[in-house]
Amino acid sequence: LVSAMNRVQLLGRVGQDPIMRQVEGKNPVTIFSLATNEMWRTGDSEVGQGALLLVCTLGDISQKTTWHRISVFRPGLRDVTYQYVRKGSRIFVEGKIDYGEYTDKNNVRRQATTIIA
């Protein structure tokens, strides 16, 4: 029995070559950005008739790009990601969402959302 679930699946393009970071006293992590796109046609109208659904294209196509920060901690996956994933690659990522905070170089507290692959 599952009482709660935190799971995300993303299919997109890698924004930059992955980098590997290591914070003192912690295991290394591979980090990269992933862009996902959502497209829709503005002004669509739907005409339904039983099981048949027609979509009339009356408007322009709009697109929204969302950038995701991906972190890979698992040793085998972390190393393979760092070695083979490259900017522009189309990849599928599965993981969980992590919400955290950090202090930037100007000593300002910031919030960060990360996908833990």
Side-chain angles (χ1 to χ4, degrees):
L1 182 65
V2 176
S3 60
M5 183 183 299
N6 178 353
R7 181 175 171 185
V8 63
Q9 295 178 326
L10 301 170
L11 178 62
R13 295 217 179 257
V14 176
Q16 90 278 346
D17 289 348
I19 59 170
M20 193 176 293
R21 289 193 179 153
Q22 183 160 7
V23 178
E24 189 175 320
K26 295 188 177 182
N27 289 328
V29 58
T30 295
I31 300 168
F32 63 95
S33 62
L34 185 74
T36 56
N37 294 313
E38 180 181 353
M39 296 176 69
W40 67 94
R41 188 177 297 275
T42 56
D44 279 0
S45 65
E46 296 180 358
V47 180
Q49 188 176 40
L52 177 63
L53 180 65
L54 302 173
V55 177
C56 302
T57 55
L58 303 173
D60 295 326
I61 293 176
S62 296
Q63 177 176 305
K64 177 185 176 186
T65 300
T66 303
W67 288 95
H68 310 273
R69 177 184 169 98
I70 312 295
S71 296
V72 187
F73 291 95
R74 189 179 303 164
L77 186 58
R78 172 190 67 218
D79 300 337
V80 167
T81 300
Y82 180 72
Q83 186 173 0
Y84 293 107
V85 171
R86 290 292 167 253
K87 178 180 178 178
S89 299
R90 188 168 188 230
I91 64 169
F92 175 80
V93 172
E94 186 172 78
K96 67 178 183 175
I97 299 174
D98 181 63
Y99 300 100
E101 287 186 348
Y102 67 97
T103 303
D104 70 10
K105 62 185 175 187
N106 297 320
N107 209 27
V108 176
R109 272 180 112 170
R110 304 239 180 229
Q111 294 190 355
T113 302
T114 303
I115 306 302
I116 309 297

